[in-house]
Amino acid sequence: MSIPALFRQTVVSLEVFPPKPDAPVDMIHQTLVQLSHLKPDYMSVTYGAGGSRAGLTLEIAKEIPTLCGCPALGHLTCVGADKASIQQSLAQFQQAGVEAILALRGDVPAGRDAQTAFAHMPYASELVKEIVAYGGFSVAAACYPESHYQSDSQRDDLLYLKRKVDCGVDWLVSQLFFDNDAFFSFVDRARRIGIRVPITAGIMPVLNAKQILRMTTLCGASIPASLSRIIARYGEDPVSFAEAGMDFCCAQITDLLKGGVDGIHLYSMNRAKSATAILQRTGLRD
Ligand code: FAD
């Protein structure tokens, strides 16, 4: 079944990233096998900044149907890409049996400037058009409940999102967020301007205080008072922080499910143990 067809019920997806150059490639296989026990509806594989590790995205994505028994969603970015290179990547994904692509603009890699990085494809919407024209893929795109960090206004960001969806996006995967009110308000605004595709909630497990602070600074996600209290109280005590963070994450997901969210996309960070605990405690998996 194609991924878009799965959205008749709440879709549970997991995200993995290619291992660092010094890590054994076998490690990701073990992680995939452990995550497969959670029977995700699909698994996505991130794409390295600048495409430096693009080959690994493909290598991992092609293993997913066999190792995990679910479809793979390969991430692809506009960084340094032109029509020819995108067509080549799509041909490789197709040969590898990957049928779905998360079309992203990407960020400017260190040492490069935006003009050269995005010379041929300035926005993800251009990539969506290329994938749709190529044919044979379902297409996901990113969305930002609290707006993209570079956008001038919430309204502009939403209008650009609508334009991107209208290019042929089948479903949206959100940036991480911790404030469910912000997410539900974003979904309402999106629906009001005619964005009808499923919007799946990107959930980052709260396991490490420094990591949460670094990520929220990078992407601009707000920290609600309840999470702020956990950071203040347990920030210097990793074990207690991880326990309180797990409670926070499970409560966040439970509340999203009660609110009728289309899907939960867990940024599993290649950690099968915490992903398993989260999906089991929230009743999403046995
Ligand atoms: P776009 O949709 O192109 O938007 C980028 C900015 O441009 C926004 O501010 C938007 O408002 C604005 N904009 C859009 N269209 C126009 C227009 N026509 N005119 C003017 N402004 C416009 N990065 C990676 O490198 N690899 C990954 O694997 C990866 N995975 C991700 C997965 C998810 C679920 C998410 C949410 C993000 C991921 N990213 C990844 C990060 C992403 O590449 C960055 O957030 C990037 O800055 C924006 O990508 P985008 O596809 O949302 O861009």
Side-chain angles (χ1 to χ4, degrees):
M1 196 186 287
S2 74
I3 297 175
L6 298 169
F7 280 97
R8 280 179 291 214
Q9 53 194 32
T10 314
V11 165
V12 177
S13 50
L14 302 172
E15 181 171 304
V16 295
F17 56 81
K20 300 220 159 26
D22 51 351
V25 174
D26 276 2
M27 228 170 76
I28 188 71
H29 289 140
Q30 285 171 28
T31 307
L32 291 178
V33 170
Q34 288 163 350
L35 291 172
S36 73
H37 298 308
L38 295 171
K39 299 193 173 16
D41 291 307
Y42 70 86
M43 286 179 66
S44 85
V45 189
T46 65
Y47 190 86
S52 52
R53 323 210 66 223
L56 275 178
T57 303
L58 182 72
E59 286 307 307
I60 296 167
K62 86 173 177 202
E63 305 271 6
I64 285 177
T66 316
L67 283 179
C68 306
C70 67
L73 172 68
H75 296 205
L76 188 61
T77 77
C78 300
V79 178
D82 59 19
K83 201 180 165 85
S85 70
I86 290 299
Q87 295 207 342
Q88 195 185 357
S89 298
L90 294 176
Q92 288 168 340
F93 274 116
Q94 214 155 48
Q95 273 159 21
V98 177
E99 293 170 7
I101 304 286
L102 177 56
L104 298 149
R105 187 199 64 179
D107 289 306
V108 183
R112 292 179 71 176
D113 61 83
Q115 257 103 13
T116 50
F118 304 123
H120 303 284
M121 231 167 260
Y123 300 110
S125 49
E126 300 299 317
L127 181 54
V128 174
K129 282 187 212 162
E130 285 300 330
I131 302 169
V132 170
Y134 191 89
F137 291 98
S138 49
V139 186
C143 64
Y144 301 83
E146 296 172 273
S147 291
H148 183 257
Y149 73 98
Q150 288 171 321
S151 70
D152 292 333
S153 75
Q154 206 178 54
R155 176 146 186 83
D156 283 356
D157 200 41
L158 199 58
L159 290 174
Y160 290 132
L161 179 65
K162 168 84 166 73
R163 218 184 268 183
K164 177 163 74 174
V165 170
D166 289 345
C167 292
V169 170
D170 296 301
W171 82 102
L172 291 167
V173 184
S174 94
Q175 175 63 285
L176 65 92
F177 62 93
F178 300 103
D179 180 347
N180 285 359
D181 289 343
F183 177 79
F184 284 126
S185 143
F186 162 76
V187 173
D188 285 348
R189 281 181 282 113
R191 299 302 181 220
R192 275 205 297 275
I193 67 158
I195 295 177
R196 306 257 173 263
V197 297
I199 302 176
T200 191
I203 300 297
M204 174 63 71
V206 178
L207 302 173
N208 175 299
K210 283 199 184 107
Q211 181 198 48
I212 296 299
L213 290 171
R214 194 179 62 244
M215 285 180 163
T216 49
T217 307
L218 280 175
C219 74
S222 58
I223 299 183
S226 52
L227 182 54
S228 224
R229 281 193 293 274
I230 294 174
I231 295 170
R233 187 155 180 194
Y234 302 116
E236 301 301 322
D237 174 356
V239 175
S240 303
F241 182 87
E243 279 171 19
M246 176 64 72
D247 291 344
F248 177 91
C249 181
C250 293
Q252 184 186 9
I253 293 176
T254 303
D255 183 56
L256 288 165
L257 295 171
K258 273 191 204 145
V261 70
D262 293 320
I264 298 290
H265 181 75
L266 197 62
Y267 292 108
S268 71
M269 308 295 287
N270 294 9
R271 292 186 185 176
K273 205 170 151 194
S274 51
T276 306
I278 291 166
L279 295 191
Q280 287 180 343
R281 276 185 53 181
T282 51
L284 282 168
R285 290 295 183 267
D286 298 332

